[in-house]
Coordinates of all heavy atoms in Angstrom, one line a residue:
K15 N -0.3 -1.4 13.3 CA 0.4 -2.7 13.2 C 0.0 -3.6 14.3 O -0.2 -4.8 14.1 CB 1.9 -2.5 13.2 CG 2.4 -2.0 11.8 CD 3.9 -1.9 11.8 CE 4.4 -1.6 10.5 NZ 5.9 -1.6 10.4
V16 N -0.1 -3.1 15.5 CA -0.4 -4.0 16.7 C -1.8 -4.5 16.5 O -2.1 -5.7 16.6 CB -0.2 -3.3 18.0 CG1 -0.8 -4.0 19.2 CG2 1.3 -3.0 18.3
V17 N -2.8 -3.6 16.2 CA -4.2 -4.0 16.1 C -4.4 -4.9 14.9 O -5.1 -5.9 14.9 CB -5.1 -2.8 16.1 CG1 -6.6 -3.2 15.9 CG2 -5.0 -2.1 17.4
G18 N -3.7 -4.5 13.8 CA -3.8 -5.2 12.5 C -3.3 -6.7 12.6 O -3.8 -7.6 12.1
A19 N -2.2 -6.8 13.4 CA -1.6 -8.2 13.6 C -2.5 -9.1 14.4 O -2.6 -10.3 14.2 CB -0.2 -8.1 14.2
A20 N -3.2 -8.5 15.4 CA -4.0 -9.3 16.3 C -5.4 -9.4 15.7 O -6.1 -10.4 16.1 CB -4.1 -8.6 17.6
G21 N -5.9 -8.5 14.9 CA -7.2 -8.6 14.4 C -8.2 -7.9 15.3 O -8.7 -6.8 15.0
L22 N -8.4 -8.4 16.4 CA -9.3 -7.8 17.5 C -8.5 -7.8 18.7 O -8.0 -8.9 19.1 CB -10.6 -8.7 17.6 CG -11.7 -8.1 18.5 CD1 -12.3 -6.9 17.9 CD2 -12.7 -9.2 18.7
L23 N -8.4 -6.7 19.4 CA -7.5 -6.6 20.5 C -8.2 -5.9 21.6 O -8.8 -4.8 21.4 CB -6.2 -5.8 20.1 CG -5.0 -6.0 20.9 CD1 -4.5 -7.4 21.0 CD2 -3.8 -5.2 20.3
A24 N -8.1 -6.4 22.8 CA -8.6 -5.8 24.0 C -8.0 -4.4 24.2 O -6.8 -4.3 24.1 CB -8.5 -6.7 25.2
M25 N -8.8 -3.4 24.6 CA -8.2 -2.1 24.8 C -7.1 -2.1 25.8 O -6.1 -1.4 25.7 CB -9.3 -1.1 25.3 CG -10.2 -0.6 24.2 SD -9.3 0.6 23.1 CE -9.3 2.1 24.1
A26 N -7.3 -2.9 26.9 CA -6.2 -2.9 27.9 C -4.9 -3.6 27.4 O -3.9 -3.3 27.9 CB -6.7 -3.8 29.1
V27 N -5.0 -4.3 26.3 CA -3.9 -5.0 25.7 C -3.2 -4.1 24.7 O -2.0 -4.2 24.5 CB -4.3 -6.3 25.1 CG1 -3.1 -7.0 24.4 CG2 -4.9 -7.2 26.1
V28 N -3.9 -3.2 24.1 CA -3.3 -2.3 23.0 C -2.1 -1.5 23.6 O -1.0 -1.5 23.1 CB -4.3 -1.3 22.4 CG1 -3.7 -0.3 21.5 CG2 -5.4 -2.1 21.7
A29 N -2.4 -0.9 24.7 CA -1.3 0.0 25.3 C -0.1 -0.8 25.7 O 1.0 -0.4 25.2 CB -1.9 0.7 26.5
P30 N -0.1 -1.9 26.4 CA 1.1 -2.6 26.8 C 1.9 -3.1 25.5 O 3.1 -3.0 25.4 CB 0.6 -3.8 27.6 CG -0.6 -3.3 28.2 CD -1.3 -2.4 27.2
N31 N 1.1 -3.7 24.5 CA 1.8 -4.2 23.3 C 2.5 -3.1 22.5 O 3.6 -3.2 22.1 CB 0.8 -4.9 22.5 CG 0.5 -6.3 23.0 OD1 1.2 -6.8 23.8 ND2 -0.6 -6.9 22.5
A32 N 1.8 -2.0 22.3 CA 2.3 -0.9 21.6 C 3.5 -0.3 22.4 O 4.5 0.1 21.8 CB 1.3 0.2 21.3
L33 N 3.4 -0.1 23.7 CA 4.5 0.4 24.5 C 5.7 -0.5 24.4 O 6.8 0.0 24.4 CB 4.0 0.6 25.9 CG 3.0 1.8 26.2 CD1 2.5 1.8 27.6 CD2 3.7 3.1 25.8
Q34 N 5.5 -1.8 24.4 CA 6.6 -2.7 24.3 C 7.3 -2.5 23.0 O 8.5 -2.4 22.9 CB 6.1 -4.2 24.3 CG 6.5 -4.9 25.6 CD 6.0 -6.3 25.5 OE1 5.1 -6.7 24.8 NE2 6.7 -7.2 26.3
F35 N 6.5 -2.3 21.9 CA 7.0 -2.1 20.6 C 7.8 -0.8 20.5 O 8.9 -0.7 19.9 CB 5.9 -2.1 19.6 CG 6.3 -2.2 18.1 CD1 6.9 -3.3 17.6 CD2 6.0 -1.1 17.3 CE1 7.2 -3.4 16.3 CE2 6.4 -1.2 16.0 CZ 7.0 -2.4 15.5
L36 N 7.3 0.2 21.2 CA 7.9 1.5 21.3 C 9.3 1.4 21.9 O 10.3 2.1 21.5 CB 7.1 2.5 22.1 CG 6.2 3.4 21.3 CD1 5.4 4.2 22.3 CD2 6.9 4.3 20.3
K37 N 9.4 0.6 23.0 CA 10.7 0.5 23.7 C 11.8 0.0 22.8 O 13.0 0.3 23.0 CB 10.5 -0.4 24.9 CG 9.8 0.3 26.0 CD 9.6 -0.7 27.2 CE 8.7 0.0 28.2 NZ 8.3 -0.9 29.3
L38 N 11.5 -0.8 21.8 CA 12.5 -1.3 20.9 C 13.2 -0.1 20.1 O 14.3 -0.2 19.7 CB 11.9 -2.2 19.9 CG 11.3 -3.5 20.4 CD1 10.6 -4.3 19.3 CD2 12.4 -4.4 21.0
F39 N 12.4 1.0 19.8 CA 12.9 2.1 19.0 C 13.3 3.3 19.8 O 14.0 4.1 19.3 CB 11.8 2.5 18.0 CG 11.4 1.4 17.1 CD1 10.3 0.7 17.3 CD2 12.3 1.1 16.0 CE1 9.9 -0.3 16.4 CE2 11.9 0.1 15.2 CZ 10.8 -0.6 15.3
E40 N 12.9 3.3 21.1 CA 13.2 4.5 21.9 C 14.7 4.6 22.2 O 15.3 3.7 22.7 CB 12.4 4.4 23.2 CG 12.4 5.7 23.9 CD 11.4 5.7 25.1 OE1 10.2 5.9 24.8 OE2 11.9 5.5 26.2
K41 N 15.3 5.7 21.9 CA 16.8 5.9 22.1 C 17.0 6.9 23.3 O 18.1 6.9 23.8 CB 17.4 6.4 20.9 CG 17.4 5.4 19.8 CD 18.2 5.8 18.6 CE 18.2 4.6 17.6 NZ 18.4 5.0 16.3
R42 N 16.0 7.7 23.6 CA 16.2 8.6 24.7 C 14.9 8.8 25.5 O 13.9 8.5 25.0 CB 16.8 10.0 24.2 CG 15.8 10.6 23.2 CD 16.5 11.9 22.7 NE 15.8 12.4 21.6 CZ 15.0 13.4 21.7 NH1 14.8 14.1 22.8 NH2 14.3 13.9 20.6
K43 N 15.1 9.2 26.7 CA 13.9 9.4 27.6 C 13.0 10.5 27.0 O 13.4 11.5 26.5 CB 14.3 9.8 29.0 CG 14.6 8.6 29.8 CD 13.4 8.3 30.7 CE 13.8 7.3 31.8 NZ 12.9 6.2 31.9
K44 N 11.7 10.2 27.1 CA 10.7 11.2 26.7 C 10.3 12.1 27.9 O 10.3 11.6 29.0 CB 9.5 10.6 26.1 CG 9.8 9.7 24.9 CD 10.0 10.6 23.7 CE 10.2 9.7 22.5 NZ 11.2 10.2 21.6
K45 N 9.9 13.3 27.7 CA 9.4 14.2 28.8 C 8.0 14.0 29.0 O 7.4 14.6 29.9 CB 9.7 15.6 28.4 CG 11.2 15.9 28.4 CD 11.4 17.4 28.1 CE 12.9 17.7 28.0 NZ 13.2 19.0 27.6
Y46 N 7.3 13.1 28.3 CA 5.9 12.9 28.4 C 5.7 11.4 28.8 O 6.5 10.6 28.6 CB 5.1 13.3 27.2 CG 5.5 12.5 26.0 CD1 5.1 11.3 25.7 CD2 6.5 13.1 25.1 CE1 5.5 10.6 24.5 CE2 6.9 12.4 24.0 CZ 6.4 11.2 23.7 OH 6.8 10.5 22.6

Side-chain angles (χ1 to χ4, degrees):
K15 282 185 173 183
V16 169
V17 176
L22 186 69
L23 201 57
M25 278 292 279
V27 178
V28 172
N31 283 344
L33 288 173
Q34 248 181 339
F35 193 66
L36 264 178
K37 286 178 186 172
L38 297 173
F39 298 102
E40 194 172 277
K41 292 188 176 155
R42 59 187 170 100
K43 275 261 193 231
K44 300 285 183 215
K45 292 181 181 177
Y46 57 86

